[in-house]
Amino acid sequence: MELAGKESEGVSDSIAPTFSENSKAKKDSGIALCLSGGGYRAMLFHTGSIWRLYKMGLLPELDRISSVSGGSILAGLLGLRWSRLVTSDLESDNAFTDLIVNPIRALASRTIDIPAVLLGFLFPGSISSRISGFYRKYLFKRSTLQDFPDHPRFVINSANLQSGALWRFMKPYMRDWKVGEVKSPSVQIAKAVAASSAFPPFLSPTVLKLKQSDYEENQGDLLVSDRYRKRIFLTDAGVYDNLGLETAKRFQTVLVSDGGAEFEHKAKPAPNWLLQTYRVLQVIDNQVGSLRKTGLIGEYKSSEREGAYWSITSGMDDFKVKDALPCSDSGTAQLAAISTRLKKLDDQTQERLINWGYAVCDAAIRKFYRDDLQSPDGFPYPEAEV
């Protein structure tokens, strides 16, 4: 399996049914990493994947990190701590655990979605503002997008409910190709991550308040009236692209960590409107994700792109790599079935998720991308296994 493409940064973010529509375009030679959505489950799974990439020495080679929803929680912290992380001693895990793992696990030890919903209903302030408040308190403080490094480029993705286009948060600008671009945004990382993880209908929308003077003048912008520019209604980026591939299309090499849940079949879907709406969203998300993944894998197989894809629903036997860490199908299936929530997870489950992300990332990278890399010594948490 191997992949990336031409990101139409100044043209269009039209929803691509597959990833291959730009496969013939000239691509940048850099490397992009995509972190999918999936709540705390994905956040911890990606933490294991990033840990393995760190131990392999591959993090400094990345040129772009594109994230969605639960993946954006980790990406936001990774961007904030990047300069300290990449200059640390790779022979020691202390830097990675102190800078990344411990804060992520501290957040995963707290339920924040239900409290945010209750507080949002009972008191002044939106549900989304409560979520961003939790992110600010436990991870990001008052850091803004301007605290991200210049390289690699961190892209936190969300979806604009008004325009139907992707809204991307980055250090140099934030934009929606229809609405326009705001240079050097001072948006807090907590706000951007809340917008990326604003899962509908309960945690959505996140509202950005802007002025016309904030935007750059561009004749190609389509929605320039105050109705579209002064209040931006954003929702979970998974509605648009749960793998974060859209903003990685320009790159020849793309690595994808997919912590999205496996689609659950239901013989008797709930008849009430609320649960049925949730079920419809699951069906849409599954279809969009499947189409993008199909395009991605097709380009790997045709050698139009390079890289590797690994998923929380993968089986270790899929990779058949020498000295892979032992991971049973029953254990990994149990982890993949964890609900997509911002709900407290016990220590053992956290460690197993991190171990699984670490192990499957290692297998995918060594099988499909870099077969010259050494096998791992063991799991980050040996006693928890998978």
Side-chain angles (χ1 to χ4, degrees), residues 341-358:
R341 291 275 309 278
L342 304 178
K343 179 184 177 182
K344 176 181 177 179
L345 295 171
D346 63 76
D347 286 345
Q348 185 180 40
T349 300
Q350 290 184 33
E351 292 171 1
R352 291 176 62 212
L353 279 165
I354 292 172
N355 281 350
W356 177 218
Y358 189 95

PDB file of all heavy atoms in Angstrom, residues 341-358:
ATOM      1  N   ARG A 341     -16.604   8.674  21.699  1.00  0.00           N
ATOM      2  CA  ARG A 341     -17.003   9.604  22.752  1.00  0.00           C
ATOM      3  C   ARG A 341     -15.787  10.346  23.284  1.00  0.00           C
ATOM      4  O   ARG A 341     -14.645   9.964  23.051  1.00  0.00           O
ATOM      5  CB  ARG A 341     -17.647   8.833  23.918  1.00  0.00           C
ATOM      6  CG  ARG A 341     -19.000   8.190  23.651  1.00  0.00           C
ATOM      7  CD  ARG A 341     -20.123   9.180  23.860  1.00  0.00           C
ATOM      8  NE  ARG A 341     -20.021   9.859  25.165  1.00  0.00           N
ATOM      9  CZ  ARG A 341     -20.435   9.363  26.345  1.00  0.00           C
ATOM     10  NH1 ARG A 341     -20.990   8.154  26.386  1.00  0.00           N
ATOM     11  NH2 ARG A 341     -20.301  10.067  27.463  1.00  0.00           N
ATOM     12  N   LEU A 342     -16.068  11.419  24.006  1.00  0.00           N
ATOM     13  CA  LEU A 342     -15.047  12.080  24.818  1.00  0.00           C
ATOM     14  C   LEU A 342     -15.333  11.665  26.257  1.00  0.00           C
ATOM     15  O   LEU A 342     -15.605  12.484  27.129  1.00  0.00           O
ATOM     16  CB  LEU A 342     -15.111  13.597  24.629  1.00  0.00           C
ATOM     17  CG  LEU A 342     -14.975  14.092  23.180  1.00  0.00           C
ATOM     18  CD1 LEU A 342     -15.103  15.604  23.117  1.00  0.00           C
ATOM     19  CD2 LEU A 342     -13.653  13.638  22.565  1.00  0.00           C
ATOM     20  N   LYS A 343     -15.282  10.362  26.472  1.00  0.00           N
ATOM     21  CA  LYS A 343     -15.683   9.742  27.729  1.00  0.00           C
ATOM     22  C   LYS A 343     -14.485   9.053  28.380  1.00  0.00           C
ATOM     23  O   LYS A 343     -13.677   8.408  27.699  1.00  0.00           O
ATOM     24  CB  LYS A 343     -16.783   8.708  27.472  1.00  0.00           C
ATOM     25  CG  LYS A 343     -17.263   7.966  28.700  1.00  0.00           C
ATOM     26  CD  LYS A 343     -18.287   6.897  28.321  1.00  0.00           C
ATOM     27  CE  LYS A 343     -18.738   6.097  29.523  1.00  0.00           C
ATOM     28  NZ  LYS A 343     -19.702   5.036  29.166  1.00  0.00           N
ATOM     29  N   LYS A 344     -14.404   9.164  29.686  1.00  0.00           N
ATOM     30  CA  LYS A 344     -13.309   8.600  30.461  1.00  0.00           C
ATOM     31  C   LYS A 344     -13.045   7.144  30.113  1.00  0.00           C
ATOM     32  O   LYS A 344     -13.968   6.337  30.021  1.00  0.00           O
ATOM     33  CB  LYS A 344     -13.636   8.715  31.957  1.00  0.00           C
ATOM     34  CG  LYS A 344     -12.614   8.066  32.874  1.00  0.00           C
ATOM     35  CD  LYS A 344     -13.027   8.204  34.327  1.00  0.00           C
ATOM     36  CE  LYS A 344     -12.040   7.498  35.256  1.00  0.00           C
ATOM     37  NZ  LYS A 344     -12.420   7.651  36.683  1.00  0.00           N
ATOM     38  N   LEU A 345     -11.768   6.824  29.931  1.00  0.00           N
ATOM     39  CA  LEU A 345     -11.337   5.452  29.698  1.00  0.00           C
ATOM     40  C   LEU A 345     -10.382   5.053  30.810  1.00  0.00           C
ATOM     41  O   LEU A 345      -9.523   5.845  31.221  1.00  0.00           O
ATOM     42  CB  LEU A 345     -10.645   5.319  28.340  1.00  0.00           C
ATOM     43  CG  LEU A 345     -11.524   5.572  27.105  1.00  0.00           C
ATOM     44  CD1 LEU A 345     -10.675   5.614  25.855  1.00  0.00           C
ATOM     45  CD2 LEU A 345     -12.611   4.509  26.984  1.00  0.00           C
ATOM     46  N   ASP A 346     -10.507   3.828  31.295  1.00  0.00           N
ATOM     47  CA  ASP A 346      -9.639   3.382  32.387  1.00  0.00           C
ATOM     48  C   ASP A 346      -8.205   3.220  31.902  1.00  0.00           C
ATOM     49  O   ASP A 346      -7.927   3.170  30.699  1.00  0.00           O
ATOM     50  CB  ASP A 346     -10.165   2.068  32.973  1.00  0.00           C
ATOM     51  CG  ASP A 346     -10.148   0.926  31.971  1.00  0.00           C
ATOM     52  OD1 ASP A 346      -9.061   0.387  31.693  1.00  0.00           O
ATOM     53  OD2 ASP A 346     -11.234   0.585  31.437  1.00  0.00           O
ATOM     54  N   ASP A 347      -7.280   3.122  32.847  1.00  0.00           N
ATOM     55  CA  ASP A 347      -5.857   3.108  32.525  1.00  0.00           C
ATOM     56  C   ASP A 347      -5.481   1.948  31.609  1.00  0.00           C
ATOM     57  O   ASP A 347      -4.706   2.118  30.655  1.00  0.00           O
ATOM     58  CB  ASP A 347      -5.021   3.034  33.810  1.00  0.00           C
ATOM     59  CG  ASP A 347      -4.999   4.346  34.574  1.00  0.00           C
ATOM     60  OD1 ASP A 347      -5.385   5.375  33.987  1.00  0.00           O
ATOM     61  OD2 ASP A 347      -4.608   4.342  35.751  1.00  0.00           O
ATOM     62  N   GLN A 348      -6.005   0.771  31.890  1.00  0.00           N
ATOM     63  CA  GLN A 348      -5.644  -0.384  31.072  1.00  0.00           C
ATOM     64  C   GLN A 348      -6.121  -0.224  29.629  1.00  0.00           C
ATOM     65  O   GLN A 348      -5.389  -0.541  28.685  1.00  0.00           O
ATOM     66  CB  GLN A 348      -6.196  -1.677  31.666  1.00  0.00           C
ATOM     67  CG  GLN A 348      -5.727  -2.908  30.886  1.00  0.00           C
ATOM     68  CD  GLN A 348      -6.264  -4.204  31.448  1.00  0.00           C
ATOM     69  OE1 GLN A 348      -7.423  -4.268  31.847  1.00  0.00           O
ATOM     70  NE2 GLN A 348      -5.446  -5.244  31.482  1.00  0.00           N
ATOM     71  N   THR A 349      -7.331   0.290  29.443  1.00  0.00           N
ATOM     72  CA  THR A 349      -7.842   0.496  28.086  1.00  0.00           C
ATOM     73  C   THR A 349      -7.009   1.545  27.358  1.00  0.00           C
ATOM     74  O   THR A 349      -6.699   1.392  26.169  1.00  0.00           O
ATOM     75  CB  THR A 349      -9.320   0.928  28.134  1.00  0.00           C
ATOM     76  OG1 THR A 349     -10.089  -0.093  28.769  1.00  0.00           O
ATOM     77  CG2 THR A 349      -9.864   1.157  26.736  1.00  0.00           C
ATOM     78  N   GLN A 350      -6.643   2.603  28.052  1.00  0.00           N
ATOM     79  CA  GLN A 350      -5.781   3.617  27.444  1.00  0.00           C
ATOM     80  C   GLN A 350      -4.468   2.993  26.970  1.00  0.00           C
ATOM     81  O   GLN A 350      -4.015   3.242  25.845  1.00  0.00           O
ATOM     82  CB  GLN A 350      -5.481   4.719  28.451  1.00  0.00           C
ATOM     83  CG  GLN A 350      -6.652   5.605  28.803  1.00  0.00           C
ATOM     84  CD  GLN A 350      -6.238   6.739  29.726  1.00  0.00           C
ATOM     85  OE1 GLN A 350      -5.119   7.241  29.646  1.00  0.00           O
ATOM     86  NE2 GLN A 350      -7.136   7.156  30.608  1.00  0.00           N
ATOM     87  N   GLU A 351      -3.856   2.202  27.826  1.00  0.00           N
ATOM     88  CA  GLU A 351      -2.570   1.600  27.491  1.00  0.00           C
ATOM     89  C   GLU A 351      -2.685   0.609  26.340  1.00  0.00           C
ATOM     90  O   GLU A 351      -1.808   0.535  25.472  1.00  0.00           O
ATOM     91  CB  GLU A 351      -1.981   0.934  28.741  1.00  0.00           C
ATOM     92  CG  GLU A 351      -1.585   1.956  29.798  1.00  0.00           C
ATOM     93  CD  GLU A 351      -1.194   1.328  31.122  1.00  0.00           C
ATOM     94  OE1 GLU A 351      -1.212   0.070  31.219  1.00  0.00           O
ATOM     95  OE2 GLU A 351      -0.873   2.085  32.062  1.00  0.00           O
ATOM     96  N   ARG A 352      -3.772  -0.139  26.299  1.00  0.00           N
ATOM     97  CA  ARG A 352      -3.975  -1.083  25.205  1.00  0.00           C
ATOM     98  C   ARG A 352      -4.174  -0.353  23.879  1.00  0.00           C
ATOM     99  O   ARG A 352      -3.658  -0.783  22.835  1.00  0.00           O
ATOM    100  CB  ARG A 352      -5.181  -1.985  25.494  1.00  0.00           C
ATOM    101  CG  ARG A 352      -4.944  -2.975  26.651  1.00  0.00           C
ATOM    102  CD  ARG A 352      -6.216  -3.757  26.949  1.00  0.00           C
ATOM    103  NE  ARG A 352      -6.611  -4.562  25.787  1.00  0.00           N
ATOM    104  CZ  ARG A 352      -7.877  -4.835  25.481  1.00  0.00           C
ATOM    105  NH1 ARG A 352      -8.869  -4.352  26.229  1.00  0.00           N
ATOM    106  NH2 ARG A 352      -8.148  -5.580  24.432  1.00  0.00           N
ATOM    107  N   LEU A 353      -4.921   0.741  23.897  1.00  0.00           N
ATOM    108  CA  LEU A 353      -5.112   1.527  22.678  1.00  0.00           C
ATOM    109  C   LEU A 353      -3.791   2.101  22.178  1.00  0.00           C
ATOM    110  O   LEU A 353      -3.498   2.070  20.967  1.00  0.00           O
ATOM    111  CB  LEU A 353      -6.104   2.662  22.933  1.00  0.00           C
ATOM    112  CG  LEU A 353      -7.584   2.299  22.877  1.00  0.00           C
ATOM    113  CD1 LEU A 353      -8.434   3.404  23.500  1.00  0.00           C
ATOM    114  CD2 LEU A 353      -8.028   2.036  21.436  1.00  0.00           C
ATOM    115  N   ILE A 354      -2.988   2.624  23.090  1.00  0.00           N
ATOM    116  CA  ILE A 354      -1.683   3.163  22.708  1.00  0.00           C
ATOM    117  C   ILE A 354      -0.795   2.044  22.166  1.00  0.00           C
ATOM    118  O   ILE A 354      -0.122   2.206  21.132  1.00  0.00           O
ATOM    119  CB  ILE A 354      -1.028   3.876  23.905  1.00  0.00           C
ATOM    120  CG1 ILE A 354      -1.808   5.152  24.246  1.00  0.00           C
ATOM    121  CG2 ILE A 354       0.431   4.217  23.602  1.00  0.00           C
ATOM    122  CD1 ILE A 354      -1.366   5.837  25.527  1.00  0.00           C
ATOM    123  N   ASN A 355      -0.786   0.904  22.847  1.00  0.00           N
ATOM    124  CA  ASN A 355      -0.004  -0.243  22.368  1.00  0.00           C
ATOM    125  C   ASN A 355      -0.414  -0.670  20.967  1.00  0.00           C
ATOM    126  O   ASN A 355       0.434  -0.981  20.118  1.00  0.00           O
ATOM    127  CB  ASN A 355      -0.183  -1.434  23.318  1.00  0.00           C
ATOM    128  CG  ASN A 355       0.664  -1.329  24.574  1.00  0.00           C
ATOM    129  OD1 ASN A 355       1.535  -0.463  24.687  1.00  0.00           O
ATOM    130  ND2 ASN A 355       0.397  -2.209  25.526  1.00  0.00           N
ATOM    131  N   TRP A 356      -1.725  -0.708  20.708  1.00  0.00           N
ATOM    132  CA  TRP A 356      -2.229  -1.144  19.404  1.00  0.00           C
ATOM    133  C   TRP A 356      -1.832  -0.152  18.308  1.00  0.00           C
ATOM    134  O   TRP A 356      -1.376  -0.542  17.231  1.00  0.00           O
ATOM    135  CB  TRP A 356      -3.732  -1.333  19.472  1.00  0.00           C
ATOM    136  CG  TRP A 356      -4.424  -1.717  18.194  1.00  0.00           C
ATOM    137  CD1 TRP A 356      -5.647  -1.262  17.785  1.00  0.00           C
ATOM    138  CD2 TRP A 356      -3.993  -2.634  17.175  1.00  0.00           C
ATOM    139  NE1 TRP A 356      -6.000  -1.824  16.580  1.00  0.00           N
ATOM    140  CE2 TRP A 356      -4.996  -2.680  16.178  1.00  0.00           C
ATOM    141  CE3 TRP A 356      -2.863  -3.414  17.017  1.00  0.00           C
ATOM    142  CZ2 TRP A 356      -4.887  -3.463  15.035  1.00  0.00           C
ATOM    143  CZ3 TRP A 356      -2.744  -4.207  15.867  1.00  0.00           C
ATOM    144  CH2 TRP A 356      -3.749  -4.231  14.892  1.00  0.00           C
ATOM    145  N   GLY A 357      -1.969   1.139  18.574  1.00  0.00           N
ATOM    146  CA  GLY A 357      -1.537   2.137  17.600  1.00  0.00           C
ATOM    147  C   GLY A 357      -0.050   2.029  17.311  1.00  0.00           C
ATOM    148  O   GLY A 357       0.398   2.172  16.161  1.00  0.00           O
ATOM    149  N   TYR A 358       0.727   1.798  18.344  1.00  0.00           N
ATOM    150  CA  TYR A 358       2.183   1.650  18.228  1.00  0.00           C
ATOM    151  C   TYR A 358       2.519   0.443  17.358  1.00  0.00           C
ATOM    152  O   TYR A 358       3.333   0.524  16.431  1.00  0.00           O
ATOM    153  CB  TYR A 358       2.755   1.487  19.637  1.00  0.00           C
ATOM    154  CG  TYR A 358       4.252   1.518  19.765  1.00  0.00           C
ATOM    155  CD1 TYR A 358       4.916   2.699  20.085  1.00  0.00           C
ATOM    156  CD2 TYR A 358       5.011   0.350  19.627  1.00  0.00           C
ATOM    157  CE1 TYR A 358       6.299   2.728  20.255  1.00  0.00           C
ATOM    158  CE2 TYR A 358       6.389   0.364  19.785  1.00  0.00           C
ATOM    159  CZ  TYR A 358       7.028   1.558  20.098  1.00  0.00           C
ATOM    160  OH  TYR A 358       8.397   1.575  20.270  1.00  0.00           O
TER     161      TYR A 358
END
